[in-house]
Amino acid sequence: MKKILPDKLEELLLVFFLGMMTIVLGMQIVSRYIVGNSLSWSEEMVRYLFIWSAFIGVPYCIKLGSSLKVLKFIEFLPMRLQKTIIFIDRVILFLFFMLMLYFSIMVVRESFVSGQTSPALGVPIWLVYLSVVVGSFLSVCRVVEKIIESANNVDSKADSF
């Protein structure tokens, strides 16, 4: 099956964000305890990198099928009903992330127009809010991939989300 997104996209982004957080915090520790001068921007940058990693982590979990769920009761249902419930679950997730995508675009647009910047780094705040847009878009793509994948595996056991 052809994927919508590259298979390792989220992993690469998450490794990048974690690496950047580690480097910045390492610089902060060296600066504070060896040089004796604390960096004014490090905490803010790490916070924004963490926000980005949180929103990129959502589509990664969708791709792996490791989201929070209660499937024990579904296992007692007939296979056809299991697949139907899982399909409905995926459609609801699709609609949820489409709504998040729409409203997060509105927030980014308003933030862009306002010109608000962060206090320590001076970066436009819309870049931080863009994490919700990117995470929602990637989540929509991963949910669509799961729907297509389950449609192609009609004869197999019901797969979890």
Side-chain angles (χ1 to χ4, degrees):
M1 179 192 90
K2 183 126 172 109
K3 297 279 187 179
I4 296 173
L5 297 172
D7 199 38
K8 301 285 183 187
L9 177 64
E10 291 92 346
E11 290 96 328
L12 292 172
L13 290 171
L14 289 170
V15 167
F16 172 75
F17 292 136
L18 180 62
M20 289 299 296
M21 285 188 279
T22 304
I23 290 168
V24 170
L25 285 176
M27 288 171 39
Q28 170 67 357
I29 291 168
V30 168
S31 177
R32 180 182 299 158
Y33 292 108
I34 295 177
V35 178
N37 188 14
S38 185
L39 301 174
S40 62
W41 51 268
S42 62
E43 181 206 348
E44 187 174 284
M45 183 174 199
V46 169
R47 182 182 316 124
Y48 295 157
L49 290 168
F50 182 77
I51 290 168
W52 268 90
S53 65
F55 282 104
I56 299 301
V58 173
Y60 178 66
C61 288
I62 292 172
K63 183 181 81 166
L64 295 181
S66 63
S67 58
L68 291 174
K69 55 190 166 255
V70 180
L71 292 176
K72 203 60 180 166
F73 80 95
I74 292 177
E75 294 174 0
F76 296 110
L77 300 172
M79 188 61 61
R80 187 173 175 98
L81 189 53
Q82 287 181 33
K83 289 182 180 189
T84 303
I85 290 172
I86 291 171
F87 176 77
I88 291 169
D89 176 57
R90 290 177 178 169
V91 169
I92 290 170
L93 277 175
F94 173 79
L95 295 172
F96 172 75
F97 285 117
M98 286 298 290
L99 279 172
M100 274 195 56
L101 180 61
Y102 173 77
F103 287 111
S104 62
I105 288 171
M106 296 297 115
V107 170
V108 168
R109 187 185 63 156
E110 291 299 316
S111 178
F112 182 80
V113 169
S114 76
Q116 182 183 4
T117 59
S118 67
L121 289 171
V123 297
I125 288 295
W126 67 266
L127 289 174
V128 179
Y129 294 153
L130 191 63
S131 63
V132 184
V133 174
V134 172
S136 298
F137 174 74
L138 293 175
S139 295
V140 165
C141 293
R142 292 299 182 192
V143 170
V144 168
E145 285 178 355
K146 287 289 187 178
I147 290 172
I148 292 169
E149 181 181 296
S150 63
N152 289 339
N153 298 328
V154 178
D155 297 328
S156 66
K157 289 176 66 175
D159 50 353
S160 64
F161 195 64

